[in-house]
Amino acid sequence: MENLDYGIIGNCKSAALVSKTGSMDWCCLPNFDSAGIFAKLLDDEIGGSFEVEVGDDYTINQEYLWETNVLSTVFENGEDAFQLIDFMPRYPREDGSFYAPPDVIRFFRLLKGAPKIKIKYDPRLEFAREDTFNENKGEYIKSYTREGKYDSIFLYSSFKLDDILERREITLTGNAYCLLGYHEKLITQSLDRSYLKFQRTKTYWMNWSEKTTRYSHYQNEIMRSALVLKALSYKKSGAVLAAATTSLPETIGEERNWDYRFCWIRDASMVIKVMAGLGHVKSAKDFLQFIINIIPNKDEKIQIMYGINGEKELTEHILGHLKGYKNSNPVRTGNAAYIQKQNDIYGILMEVIYQQFLQFETSLENSEELWTIVRGIVMIVEENWEKPDKGIWELRTEDRHFVFSKLLCWVAVDRAIKIGEVLRMGVNDTKWKTLRADIYNDIYNNGWNEEIEAYTQSYGSKDLDASTLLMESYGFIEARDPRFISTVKATEKELCRDGLMYRYKNKDDFGEPTSSFTICTFWLIDSLYKIGEKERAKAMFDQLLSYSNHLGLFSEDIDFETKRLLGNFPQAYSHLALIETAANFSKGLVSEENFLGVF
């Protein structure tokens, strides 16, 4: 496939990607960060997949069932037709807990005729490090490894198991199912049981969507993005993943390939802020508890990222036997960036804590824990804000005085002061206000380049950076301030190409960037809207939406020339920015329509 034309299915425990032709090319079980059982996405020869093959005379159409994470792929050739419904079970039990096993169900619904299909079931456990063996055990097909790390999965089906193993032609004469489970089932599986799980899972997602804030414009795009963010939430701990995949390259043939199946404090905090705005309060509270749980000691430093269960060590490994997506290697698991120092995370985390106090009820015990974290963060910022760091883009070479990092240090202290006001804890007001003023003046004097007439990427630099477009959003500067307007225009002129934005154009660890970072285009659109260029901003937004895949999903990057999606997928960062931008437009359009309605 020349584009990331995949749909994501998941149950807040793990996820799978299904191509627009019904091939499951990515799945990790039992959890998001487990080894892949299907990874054709990273190696189309040995990665493994779960495919449904039909004749060349079939047309194939794919869409999500209305406001769910249940994927429908319809195959039709005129006389014969069937629907493939893919999902991972998730629904509430009577006791209030959730049934969300590490299972994938593929439900075949006969629509007409007698379709002939072949099933290519080709699991490659443990990212195909060792051979996978498949055996018909009577009730199920067991797939397992003999060498290296032992692993196994179980496939149940209403089809004859030997027909699956031998890839024989199957005539679909009625509904059928395949259930792939990480664990052996203790209860006999059946077509009726799988159908019931489908109906309960569909109902769960529709109920979840019904509780989501509605907008008058771009509602479908907002809802799909919200469902993506929910699918990337790990229910067990409250963590939110950056993406469901590893090692999808930012540029084809390059080595900017990272594992994104972890929780970045920066990304996850922004996701939770958006989700809370959409009415999903519990997600916000679950994430805050995740943060509290991973900061047990007053003197413990906050990492930029953690494993989905709060793991602190995310050692990076290279899977040299996989050739990578479109031969882009290396393929990596783990992420060495976890040891990096990034001063911006403190401000983003503090912003979320501040929103928690403003928007939601907080118990005394929880407030005391959060206040301890707030004070600890301010202490860390006070000790580190004047030091260089790796910055928001996680450069792996030299540290610099990045403007965005300084900005978020200012945000950390500013929000800490405001939290103190909410809690009437004014003991540190004078000291903290002095610190806030010192950081502000430092950015104002050293972050601004008079020659370029813009805030730049780092102190003393002429390079521009899309992250400075967020200065207004965080309250450092007003939209009508000449400095902000000038920064927006200079940044657009330097970094925008055919309506898409670079993060930056200066050389980094791997040379000059060659693809557009999707979230940065949303940032530019928001900034143009705020400085008054609303019509142009909306035109850019509509154009950007047209670059999503066939299901409205975005990855991390977009190729400037071909507009193909690149980078890990689907990307939480991209979808949260889409929601924020669409919500801003929707509010603005409603206001204008209401105003016009007066006349």
Side-chain angles (χ1 to χ4, degrees):
M1 297 176 67
E2 292 305 313
N3 195 26
L4 290 172
D5 287 327
Y6 288 91
I8 182 174
I9 59 172
N11 61 358
C12 303
K13 185 169 188 175
S14 187
L17 298 182
V18 180
S19 79
K20 64 180 179 181
T21 59
S23 178
M24 190 172 295
D25 293 348
W26 178 260
C27 183
C28 299
L29 293 178
N31 299 316
F32 286 108
D33 59 350
S34 300
I37 61 170
F38 303 126
K40 183 178 179 180
L41 198 58
L42 296 180
D43 194 311
D44 57 10
E45 294 180 354
I46 68 168
S49 61
F50 190 175
E51 304 178 32
V52 178
E53 299 176 339
V54 295
D56 294 338
D57 58 334
Y58 277 81
T59 59
I60 305 174
N61 293 291
Q62 189 177 67
E63 63 182 358
Y64 280 104
L65 298 188
W66 178 249
E67 296 190 346
T68 74
N69 277 323
V70 178
L71 193 61
S72 165
T73 310
V74 174
F75 300 74
E76 183 172 6
N77 68 357
E79 295 182 1
D80 308 312
F82 68 96
Q83 179 186 28
L84 175 62
I85 300 171
D86 285 311
F87 66 99
M88 297 185 73
R90 179 173 175 80
Y91 50 84
R93 297 186 177 100
E94 291 184 2
D95 63 2
S97 63
F98 279 88
Y99 179 76
D103 294 352
V104 176
I105 294 179
R106 315 201 78 179
F107 192 88
F108 297 78
R109 174 181 278 166
L110 177 63
L111 300 179
K112 65 178 180 178
K116 297 184 185 302
I117 66 173
K118 290 183 180 179
I119 294 177
K120 180 182 178 182
Y121 178 63
D122 185 27
R124 303 293 181 93
L125 301 179
E126 292 296 312
F127 281 123
R129 289 185 182 94
E130 308 292 344
D131 291 336
T132 295
F133 297 89
N134 303 307
E135 290 185 11
N136 183 345
K137 295 291 189 179
E139 293 185 8
Y140 53 78
I141 295 171
K142 180 178 180 180
S143 303
Y144 59 95
T145 56
R146 291 174 179 164
E147 305 292 333
K149 181 180 178 182
Y150 177 78
D151 206 356
S152 62
I153 54 174
F154 304 85
L155 181 72
Y156 299 80
S157 181
S158 54
F159 296 125
K160 292 180 179 179
L161 300 182
D162 282 339
D163 287 350
I164 295 175
L165 287 175
E166 300 299 326
R167 299 182 190 174
R168 297 171 186 157
E169 186 174 83
I170 299 172
T171 300
L172 200 61
T173 58
N175 296 341
Y177 82 97
C178 291
L179 183 155
L180 173 64
Y182 187 75
H183 304 297
E184 182 180 351
K185 295 298 177 184
L186 300 179
I187 299 175
T188 301
Q189 299 303 299
S190 66
L191 181 65
D192 288 347
R193 184 176 293 276
S194 287
Y195 182 72
L196 181 59
K197 290 177 181 178
F198 157 58
Q199 292 292 353
R200 286 174 169 171
T201 299
K202 182 179 71 170
T203 300
Y204 162 77
W205 286 116
M206 292 179 70
N207 285 337
W208 186 89
S209 296
E210 193 272 333
K211 298 172 185 175
T212 304
T213 303
R214 302 276 163 167
Y215 289 85
S216 59
H217 297 76
Y218 301 109
Q219 171 59 27
N220 290 341
E221 291 83 357
I222 291 173
M223 183 63 75
R224 178 48 52 200
S225 293
L227 284 161
V228 169
L229 297 181
K230 177 62 175 175
L232 293 174
S233 302
Y234 184 57
K235 179 61 180 176
K236 182 179 178 181
S237 68
V240 180
L241 283 77
T245 58
T246 178
S247 303
L248 295 186
E250 297 177 21
T251 301
I252 301 297
E254 292 191 5
E255 55 181 302
R256 302 171 194 263
N257 313 326
W258 319 113
D259 193 345
Y260 275 18
R261 299 171 300 156
F262 303 113
C263 178
W264 270 257
I265 296 298
R266 181 197 307 112
D267 299 17
S269 299
M270 297 172 83
V271 170
I272 295 303
K273 183 180 177 183
V274 168
M275 293 294 273
L278 290 173
H280 293 289
V281 178
K282 194 171 188 312
S283 293
K285 291 183 176 179
D286 287 347
F287 177 70
L288 277 168
Q289 191 59 50
F290 174 76
I291 296 300
I292 292 171
N293 290 342
I294 60 178
I295 312 176
N297 301 313
K298 295 180 180 180
D299 63 342
E300 186 166 348
K301 302 296 186 291
I302 303 172
Q303 294 181 187
I304 68 166
M305 59 189 291
Y306 294 87
I308 58 175
N309 285 301
E311 297 92 341
K312 294 179 172 63
E313 292 189 13
L314 307 175
T315 305
E316 194 170 289
H317 301 281
I318 291 178
L319 304 182
H321 65 288
L322 297 177
K323 63 184 181 181
Y325 178 80
K326 303 296 181 183
N327 296 311
S328 303
N329 51 65
V331 172
R332 309 174 200 259
T333 60
N335 196 310
Y338 80 94
I339 63 173
Q340 286 189 0
K341 176 185 175 185
Q342 295 178 22
N343 292 333
D344 63 300
I345 63 169
Y346 306 117
I348 293 168
L349 177 57
M350 196 78 84
E351 170 73 12
V352 172
I353 296 174
Y354 177 54
Q355 293 300 322
Q356 165 73 12
F357 280 111
L358 282 185
Q359 298 182 35
F360 312 123
E361 292 184 4
T362 306
S363 67
L364 178 61
E365 180 181 0
N366 192 245
S367 295
E368 289 172 348
E369 287 182 282
L370 290 174
W371 181 242
T372 296
I373 293 174
V374 167
R375 290 188 293 108
I377 290 175
V378 174
M379 288 176 60
I380 295 171
V381 170
E382 187 174 17
E383 294 173 2
N384 291 280
W385 77 269
E386 294 179 285
K387 300 175 184 177
D389 70 343
K390 298 295 185 185
I392 182 176
W393 307 126
E394 300 176 358
L395 302 184
R396 295 193 171 199
T397 52
E398 63 176 322
D399 291 1
R400 302 179 195 170
H401 292 281
F402 289 100
V403 170
F404 186 77
S405 295
K406 306 294 185 187
L407 167 69
L408 269 295
C409 286
W410 176 86
V411 169
V413 182
D414 178 73
R415 303 309 191 263
I417 292 169
K418 292 175 178 176
I419 292 169
E421 291 171 352
V422 171
L423 297 175
R424 297 182 177 85
M425 304 288 289
V427 290
N428 290 311
D429 268 9
T430 302
K431 183 179 179 182
W432 287 4
K433 287 180 178 178
T434 299
L435 177 59
R436 179 176 64 180
D438 288 343
I439 300 173
Y440 178 92
N441 291 331
D442 191 67
I443 298 169
Y444 189 87
N445 294 323
N446 297 312
W448 176 261
N449 187 302
E450 194 64 43
E451 180 183 345
I452 298 176
E453 295 185 333
Y455 284 102
T456 58
Q457 183 181 69
S458 58
Y459 287 5
S461 169
K462 293 183 179 181
D463 297 318
L464 293 172
D465 192 302
S467 63
T468 61
L469 297 173
L470 297 176
M471 299 180 85
E472 186 274 343
S473 299
Y474 282 114
F476 182 87
I477 193 171
E478 294 186 357
R480 63 178 178 268
D481 190 301
R483 278 195 170 195
F484 183 67
I485 295 172
S486 180
T487 296
V488 172
K489 292 183 175 180
T491 303
E492 179 188 13
K493 182 179 179 181
E494 176 67 20
L495 300 183
C496 190
R497 174 182 166 188
D498 297 329
L500 295 173
M501 286 285 286
Y502 289 93
R503 287 178 286 182
Y504 49 83
K505 290 178 73 173
N506 48 297
K507 289 184 178 181
D508 58 21
D509 314 343
F510 304 100
E512 294 182 5
T514 57
S515 59
S516 170
F517 203 65
T518 307
I519 194 173
C520 296
T521 306
F522 286 117
W523 291 347
L524 175 64
I525 292 167
D526 277 331
S527 298
L528 289 172
Y529 186 84
K530 289 173 179 176
I531 66 174
E533 298 191 22
K534 296 185 178 181
E535 290 186 9
R536 193 157 68 89
K538 186 179 182 303
M540 287 184 67
F541 183 62
D542 290 337
Q543 181 185 48
L544 180 55
L545 290 181
S546 73
Y547 300 149
S548 72
N549 76 1
H550 64 298
L551 295 170
L553 305 185
F554 282 96
S555 61
E556 181 181 42
D557 305 270
I558 298 174
D559 183 84
F560 282 108
E561 295 182 2
T562 65
K563 306 302 187 287
R564 71 185 292 176
L565 301 179
L566 297 167
N568 282 307
F569 174 89
Q571 180 82 355
Y573 224 3
S574 299
H575 282 282
L576 76 92
L578 187 159
I579 293 171
E580 285 189 315
T581 306
N584 287 338
F585 275 121
S586 186
K587 292 171 186 175
L589 290 167
V590 170
S591 298
E592 290 173 11
E593 289 171 1
N594 290 343
F595 178 74
L596 291 172
V598 174
F599 296 96

